[in-house]
Amino acid sequence: MMGHNMKRIQWNAFDGCPVDEVYITAQDPPIASEYSFSQYTGKLWVSNAEAMEAYKNDKACWYRFSSYAMIEPEEIKIEGAQTIDAAPGDTIRLTAKISPENVTLPQIFWRSTNPAVATVDNDGVVVVRGVEPELSTYAQGDADNTAGGCRIIAESLYADAPVAVVAINSELADIEDIVIDRPQSQTIDYTEPYDVYNMQGVWLGRSVDAVAPGFYIVRQGTKAAKILK
């Protein structure tokens, strides 16, 4: 079984490994030699009819197989609540369903776009590590409309297949300005660059994400604020 990112198969990679069936979802045939496989009596399963034609026209390796088109996924959908509130340290189990039910390769894979905020394992278990987030699911086309700093993505082996996404909104929701009635002209804009110092005046960086809970000084140009993280 080979996924859609497969680009090359080395010489003699499957020498001495007779195969009954080969599954590969790369739309374009990976570079391979006539000796990449030791025999070509098995069935070659590819993503769709268009891919099947491309593999049949490959004269180095793939044309030697009898090729067949798979049933591709039409949807991956997150099951359960569409919005999840969580705090750092929380563990959340996500589940997803791929359809139709007779998809040839029904495996679902999970990944995080920002492991510093949240990680996810192969079973869809998310551990929240960043600032207090709001998790909400949304369609693939809505990704640009979400201000979150991390996305948990459920996807399949197929190229250009639908995905399901869980957005983690890691805005600076856990920063509390000690001075409640600070003038607007002196308010820190946390969407712009700023510097963080400890209470002894030692510079710590340009974000509060990596510092422990406690009191800090934040400066932005001529603006300064004492904050509780």
Side-chain angles (χ1 to χ4, degrees):
M1 185 186 305
M2 292 172 270
H4 59 83
N5 289 319
M6 178 63 67
K7 303 297 182 184
R8 179 187 295 269
I9 298 178
Q10 297 299 325
W11 182 292
N12 292 338
F14 294 97
D15 185 37
C17 302
V19 292
D20 294 325
E21 295 181 302
V22 177
Y23 294 86
I24 182 166
T25 58
Q27 193 72 9
D28 297 319
I31 298 171
S33 79
E34 60 180 305
Y35 301 108
S36 293
F37 294 86
S38 58
Q39 53 86 11
Y40 294 89
T41 59
K43 294 181 178 179
L44 173 65
W45 292 90
V46 298
S47 295
N48 47 47
E50 180 181 349
M52 188 167 63
E53 191 65 25
Y55 280 78
K56 284 183 177 179
N57 290 330
D58 181 89
K59 298 304 181 184
C61 169
W62 302 107
Y63 80 98
R64 299 170 183 269
F65 284 103
S66 296
S67 57
Y68 302 85
M70 299 187 222
I71 298 175
E72 296 183 286
E74 297 176 1
E75 181 184 38
I76 298 178
K77 184 177 181 180
I78 299 291
E79 297 183 324
Q82 294 298 295
T83 300
I84 306 170
D85 294 323
D90 283 357
T91 299
I92 303 145
R93 175 66 180 266
L94 300 176
T95 58
K97 183 177 181 180
I98 192 169
S99 60
E101 293 183 355
N102 61 340
V103 169
T104 305
L105 299 176
Q107 293 86 351
I108 293 176
F109 300 89
W110 300 88
R111 63 182 174 90
S112 169
T113 63
N114 190 347
V117 175
T119 59
V120 62
D121 66 14
N122 293 334
D123 296 319
V125 177
V126 177
V127 177
V128 179
R129 302 186 183 280
V131 298
E132 184 174 354
E134 175 183 298
L135 284 72
S136 58
T137 61
Y138 61 96
Q140 184 177 13
D142 294 333
D144 293 338
N145 296 327
T146 300
C150 177
R151 291 179 293 160
I152 305 298
I153 299 176
E155 58 191 355
S156 69
L157 283 166
Y158 296 84
D160 302 322
V163 300
V165 182
V166 175
I168 299 181
N169 183 6
S170 58
E171 297 294 326
L172 300 170
D174 63 344
I175 296 179
E176 181 181 346
D177 194 334
I178 302 303
V179 180
I180 303 301
D181 58 351
R182 183 181 302 277
Q184 183 65 34
S185 62
Q186 291 297 309
T187 300
I188 303 294
D189 181 358
Y190 291 103
T191 65
E192 298 293 334
Y194 60 91
D195 293 290
V196 182
Y197 301 82
N198 64 18
M199 297 305 294
Q200 289 73 44
V202 177
W203 183 80
L204 301 177
R206 300 188 182 281
S207 171
V208 297
D209 293 344
V211 299
F215 291 95
Y216 297 93
I217 300 296
V218 174
R219 292 187 180 278
Q220 187 175 63
T222 59
K223 303 175 184 178
K226 182 180 179 182
I227 63 170
L228 173 63
K229 179 180 184 294

